[in-house]
Amino acid sequence: TPPVFDLGTLGLPKEYVAMKFYAAKSLPDTPANRAMLRTLVESLAERWPVVLLDTGLNLDDHADYSFQSGGRIISARPHLDARRNLGMQTQIIAGARAFVGTCGSLAWLAPMLGVDTTAVFTDARFLHSHLHAARRLYHVLGGGRFSPMDLSALDPLGLSLGSRPASQPPPS
């Protein structure tokens, strides 16, 4: 059996959204993508505490997008080392109200943990068959909701990710 970690030592809030973004063919590291992802992290943090799962480890060709933590944005990075990062990330996701991240790896896992998931991408060329299979599988398994989010759909419409107007309260 995999080790169970005492997440109480991380001081996580009772309710939070877990997030992990990394560069991939489906979400390349570009200034525009970095800006949209930063806005997404900050916008979600206005509504719920956010726990970032970036590790800072260079274990493969998928470099993490890094965002500044502080306030309602909490980084798990100091607690994630090469030996235990996957187990801890899995437990953090399992305790989250939702998971938002790059469409791949943990976004495929989170719905199987019963966690509603938003899988973010800008280039679906490598994902079409995966997206179809994932939606069907998670539905059959009774897993968390799986919602793909194509950020490239915003630009042709003249839309961007942004915060809600200050006069609008966060959803309850």
Side-chain angles (χ1 to χ4, degrees), residues 1-12 16-20 51-55 57 74-96 99 106 109-110 113 115:
T1 60
V4 176
F5 304 100
D6 179 9
L7 296 183
T9 61
L10 302 181
L12 299 179
Y16 58 89
V17 174
M19 301 182 85
K20 181 171 177 85
V51 177
L52 300 175
L53 300 177
D54 62 306
T55 65
L57 302 172
I74 303 156
S75 175
R77 181 185 281 206
H79 309 283
L80 301 173
D81 59 45
R83 186 175 60 81
R84 57 189 189 157
N85 84 83
L86 291 176
M88 289 190 74
Q89 287 181 69
T90 299
Q91 280 185 245
I92 291 169
I93 292 168
F99 174 78
L106 296 177
L109 172 66
L113 299 172
V115 177

Side-chain angles (χ1 to χ4, degrees), residues 6 8 15 20 30 32 49 51-52 55 72-73 79 85 96 98 111 117-120 133-134 137 149 160 166 169 172:
D6 179 9
E15 276 200 324
K20 181 171 177 85
T30 66
V51 177
L52 300 175
T55 65
R72 292 169 56 99
I73 301 173
H79 309 283
N85 84 83
T117 299
T118 302
V120 179
L137 174 68
M149 181 180 191
S160 65
S172 52

Side-chain angles (χ1 to χ4, degrees), residues 21-22 29 34 37-38 41 52 54-56 63-69 77:
F21 293 106
Y22 58 88
D29 186 6
R34 270 186 259 125
L37 295 175
R38 183 178 309 104
V41 170
L52 300 175
D54 62 306
T55 65
D64 287 339
Y65 284 98
S66 294
F67 304 101
Q68 189 168 355
S69 60
R77 181 185 281 206

